[in-house]
Amino acid sequence: MITTVLAQGGVEGSDPILNITIFGLFVVITLGIVIYVSRRATSSASDFYTAGGGFSGPQNGVAISGDYLSAASFLGIAGAIALNGYDGFLYSIGFLVAWLVALLLVAELLRNTGKYTMGDVLAFRMRHRPVRAAAATSTLAVSFFYLLAQMAGAGGLVALLLNITDGFGQSVVIAIVGAVMIAYVLIGGMRGTTWVQIIKAVLLIAGAGVMTIWVLALYGFNFSAVLADAVRAGGETGEALLNPGKQYGATAITQLDFLSLGLALVLGTAGLPHILMRFYTVPTAKEARRSVVWAIWLIGLFYVFTLVLGYGAGAMVGPDEIRAAPGGANSAAPLLAYELGGTVLLGIIAAVAFATILAVVAGLTITASASFAHDIYANVIKKGELTDPDEEVKIARITAIVIGVVAIAGGILANGQNIAFLVALAFAVAASANLPTILYSLFWKRFNTTGALWSIYGGLGTTVLLIVFSPVVSGKPVNPATGKSASMLQGVDFSWFPLDNPGIVSIPLSFLLGYIGTVLSKDVPNADKVAEMSVRSLTGVGVEKSVAH
Amino acid sequence: MSTTDPSPAAGTRDWQAIEVEPDFQELRRRLRSFVFPVTGLFLGWYVLYVLLATYAAPFMSIKVLGNINLGLLLGLLQFVSTFAITAWYVKFADRRLDPLSSKIRQEIQGVDK
């Protein structure tokens, strides 16, 4: 069985023509919808970035879950649970609990104090140009890591489902995915992107729901029986699947890594720029709250599904076959779909996974391009004195194309990495570079420009530095079975930081830097602006009126 | 006015005077006295859970129902507590925050017109 899978290169029973047809159908239908909804759009920045704030809470909540439930959640977590059992489950819990930070501390206040980007919130009462430049830098950095994770997933999926094994063929398909994504963003702006995310969220959650009920039905709706079968299929190490520590329990260092990962997951969400931007697509703080509530229910439900799917894949497909499949752990969910519903279900799930990558990448692209055009171009380079209002959107569109090309190139390079893990790195950057500054500027009167710059650049710099010198990039032992190291670079070792995830160091450090920078600086924030931000963040003055026209 | 300002006409209000008014102080007190302790609570409970999973693996491996062990049960309890806190906050915001914040908003924007 294992050898036939390897020989074929794709999943046995997979029908590439059928997979491409279903995915093509999704692209055609969503593109049609994108064109349809963008008829009414104007060329204004507000329309391109936030659909004019015209979505309702429930609509935005579904779109948020579409933006958030990336390929990492679906393929990555299901794979991590199938192979590492309980340790994979932590991702789900961290990704969900994190939403409470967004709900209680960030969503509503952010909606009331900004317009398009995180830079808006910081610039409210601090020196515009430096904080906008800093906010845009960290937004672009987080988006880059996140994009890399998604595109790496696309590569693995291509290998798995379209039976394309040579590097060139995979690169062509990644390029096509990137091109479709750019089309969504250029034609539809935030309005079109949001609808793609809504459709995708419904398909993904429904697809995962059907598979979950199917798996449970086969085991007489007894989850304990699914677990028992996963233990059996796991062979000698099967029992360890149920208990904590299979992946991270080996040494004190790996245990610390697990804590670090847990911290990055729970604090990262509320600092993810593409999630923050979604709060601006609704008209009021109350709608922002409703968005998060919808998102929490949908995302929570979905993670319960992935728990069953992960153990289900472990039980019905078996860890050996998953490991041997192209795409490794990421192929657990598609392989399970094939076990359950044959070629057709595999085709549908494959198309849903592609759609997932497409929608998340589109969301990231529009966020990164908004941040560059609005913060860097319009406010830093042009000092907020653009004469032609269409110029900013034009720049945003050009940026979107550039980011799309970078994403394609990154996807080709990062092909084959575990995507849940890459996303965890993006979370570490978001939690370190963005979250401290956002919380300080919303809740701490004295917080000033110096503090913001120290926290953003310090957090971002530390995180990136620690990742570069971590075992993720170089120096992991060579696996005798595959002859390759699990690190990104082969054959070199310049790592000195022992942990895979830097969160446990970089997040507290960034909070500390924000505090020290503020206290040491003589910079006193404008008292009137501070009062204005405080009143507006809690009451929505200005925002609620501005949508009434 | 800067591009950050959602409504340029608003620059003329005396924000510092509004900020010290009792209604606004009460609103801020209500919000903070809810979100800070609750954040402490759920983060504490989450960290406790991760610590247990890391350093008390034998405890988490105790089987409770068939093959379902304590680790899995406590993990699912994290889901339950997240849903519960969400519902609790929505109820709190509807009753204790929204009426007061819309009252203040109307007062401010009414004065201006």
Side-chain angles (χ1 to χ4, degrees), chain A residues 179-204:
Chain A
V180 174
M181 176 275 294
I182 294 171
Y184 284 148
V185 172
L186 291 185
I187 299 169
M190 186 54 109
R191 201 184 297 270
T193 305
T194 304
W195 279 107
V196 173
Q197 284 162 349
I198 291 175
I199 297 165
K200 168 235 142 157
V202 171
L203 287 177
L204 179 63

Side-chain angles (χ1 to χ4, degrees), chain A residues 143-153 407 410-411 413-414 419 422 488:
Chain A
S143 304
F144 175 74
F145 272 98
Y146 219 109
L147 272 174
L148 210 61
Q150 302 304 318
M151 295 308 268
L413 289 176
I419 45 189
L422 280 176
M488 278 180 196

Side-chain angles (χ1 to χ4, degrees), chain A residues 76-448:
Chain A
I77 293 180
I81 293 176
L83 295 186
N84 297 317
Y86 183 87
D87 283 2
F89 187 39
L90 179 81
Y91 282 101
S92 311
I93 296 170
F95 281 151
L96 178 69
V97 173
W99 276 97
L100 289 175
V101 181
L103 175 72
L104 298 177
L105 300 175
V106 177
E108 297 172 43
L109 306 183
L110 190 88
R111 175 66 198 93
N112 280 338
T113 45
K115 201 171 164 195
Y116 308 136
T117 65
M118 188 183 109
D120 286 341
V121 177
L122 307 187
F124 200 110
R125 63 184 176 85
M126 292 182 232
R127 293 203 307 276
H128 288 215
R129 296 177 69 196
V131 293
R132 278 189 187 277
T137 307
S138 72
T139 296
L140 291 172
V142 177
S143 304
F144 175 74
F145 272 98
Y146 219 109
L147 272 174
L148 210 61
Q150 302 304 318
M151 295 308 268
L157 213 55
V158 169
L160 182 66
L161 302 160
L162 304 185
N163 213 351
I164 299 171
T165 45
D166 66 299
F168 178 75
Q170 289 186 11
S171 307
V172 169
V173 181
I174 291 177
I176 294 172
V177 170
V180 174
M181 176 275 294
I182 294 171
Y184 284 148
V185 172
L186 291 185
I187 299 169
M190 186 54 109
R191 201 184 297 270
T193 305
T194 304
W195 279 107
V196 173
Q197 284 162 349
I198 291 175
I199 297 165
K200 168 235 142 157
V202 171
L203 287 177
L204 179 63
I205 295 170
V210 168
M211 281 174 69
T212 301
I213 293 169
W214 200 326
V215 168
L216 287 176
L218 289 177
Y219 288 91
F221 290 97
N222 179 355
F223 184 53
S224 178
V226 180
L227 295 178
D229 206 28
V231 169
R232 180 201 54 78
E236 283 174 25
T237 57
E239 187 66 26
L241 283 170
L242 301 180
N243 305 332
K246 184 166 192 294
Q247 186 183 8
Y248 286 98
T251 64
I253 291 290
T254 55
Q255 287 178 331
L256 205 60
D257 221 354
F258 190 70
L259 285 181
S260 189
L261 172 72
L263 199 63
L265 295 180
V266 81
L267 296 177
T269 299
L272 290 175
H274 65 297
I275 295 298
L276 298 177
M277 194 169 175
R278 289 231 56 92
F279 298 137
Y280 297 126
T281 64
V282 292
T284 61
K286 198 175 160 85
E287 291 300 306
R289 183 194 308 150
R290 287 178 72 201
S291 313
V292 181
V293 172
W294 272 77
I296 286 176
W297 283 104
L298 291 173
I299 291 166
L301 187 70
F302 181 81
Y303 286 146
V304 173
F305 292 162
T306 55
L307 182 67
V308 179
L309 295 182
Y311 278 116
M316 299 180 65
V317 183
D320 292 336
E321 196 176 326
I322 294 170
R323 254 186 225 107
N330 300 336
S331 59
L335 286 170
L336 177 66
Y338 178 67
E339 277 301 316
L340 291 173
T343 319
V344 176
L345 188 63
L346 175 61
I348 294 171
I349 292 304
V352 168
F354 264 120
T356 288
I357 291 173
L358 207 57
V360 174
V361 170
L364 286 163
T365 302
I366 200 162
T367 307
S369 62
S371 177
F372 181 80
H374 182 64
D375 288 327
I376 302 260
Y377 185 78
N379 284 298
V380 176
I381 298 176
K382 295 286 175 181
K383 303 175 188 173
E385 290 160 358
L386 279 183
T387 42
D388 178 8
D390 290 345
E391 197 183 336
E392 190 181 316
V393 176
K394 208 175 89 194
I395 295 293
R397 287 171 189 271
I398 296 170
T399 317
I401 297 174
V402 174
I403 292 166
V405 173
V406 171
I408 292 167
I412 292 168
L413 289 176
N415 210 335
Q417 295 281 327
N418 181 307
I419 45 189
F421 174 72
L422 280 176
V423 163
L425 291 186
F427 272 67
V429 179
S432 320
N434 293 350
L435 187 71
T437 312
I438 293 169
L439 291 184
Y440 280 144
S441 49
L442 290 173
F443 291 102
W444 187 25
K445 275 188 162 195
R446 216 184 131 186
F447 189 54
N448 62 25

Side-chain angles (χ1 to χ4, degrees), chain A residues 440 444 447 451-452 454-455 509-519:
Chain A
Y440 280 144
W444 187 25
F447 189 54
W454 281 34
S455 176
L509 184 74
S510 177
F511 272 104
L512 191 69
L513 284 174
Y515 175 77
I516 296 175
T518 301
V519 176

Side-chain angles (χ1 to χ4, degrees), chain A residues 46 52-54 111 280-284 540 542-549, chain B residues 6-7:
Chain A
S46 144
R111 175 66 198 93
Y280 297 126
T281 64
V282 292
T284 61
V543 174
E544 307 232 347
K545 195 171 63 179
S546 65
V547 294
H549 61 73
Chain B
S7 109

Side-chain angles (χ1 to χ4, degrees), chain A residues 86 89-90 92-94 96-97 100-101 103-105 108 115 120 123 128 132 223-224 227-228 239 242-244 255-256 258-259 262 266 286 289 293 296-297 300-301 303-304 307 379 442-443 445 527-529 531-532 534-536 538-542 544-546, chain B residues 1-7 10 13-16 18-19 24 27-28 31-32 34-36 38-39 42-43 46 49-51 53-55 57 60-61 63 65-69 71-72 75-76 78-79 82-83 85-86 89-90 93-94 98 101 104-105 108-109 113:
Chain A
Y86 183 87
F89 187 39
L90 179 81
S92 311
I93 296 170
L96 178 69
V97 173
L100 289 175
V101 181
L103 175 72
L104 298 177
L105 300 175
E108 297 172 43
K115 201 171 164 195
D120 286 341
H128 288 215
R132 278 189 187 277
F223 184 53
S224 178
L227 295 178
E239 187 66 26
L242 301 180
N243 305 332
Q255 287 178 331
L256 205 60
F258 190 70
L259 285 181
V266 81
K286 198 175 160 85
R289 183 194 308 150
V293 172
I296 286 176
W297 283 104
L301 187 70
Y303 286 146
V304 173
L307 182 67
N379 284 298
L442 290 173
F443 291 102
K445 275 188 162 195
D528 207 47
K529 275 284 168 195
E532 180 180 351
S534 149
V535 173
R536 283 191 178 203
L538 264 62
T539 61
V541 171
E544 307 232 347
K545 195 171 63 179
S546 65
Chain B
M1 225 19 245
S2 70
T3 48
T4 54
D5 199 331
S7 109
R13 298 187 185 105
D14 185 355
W15 297 106
Q16 295 189 59
I18 298 169
E19 200 191 12
F24 182 77
L27 175 64
R28 178 152 70 188
L31 175 78
R32 293 189 174 201
F34 184 91
V35 297
F36 290 163
V38 174
T39 301
F42 80 76
L43 280 183
Y46 173 78
Y49 172 78
V50 176
L51 285 174
T54 313
Y55 297 107
M60 296 293 255
S61 307
K63 287 187 180 175
L65 287 165
N67 285 303
I68 299 171
N69 57 25
L72 214 49
L76 290 171
Q78 290 278 343
F79 280 64
T82 302
F83 292 145
I85 289 172
T86 305
Y89 172 69
V90 169
D94 278 347
D98 289 350
S101 83
I104 299 171
R105 184 169 62 244
I108 299 173
Q109 294 183 342
K113 273 172 192 165

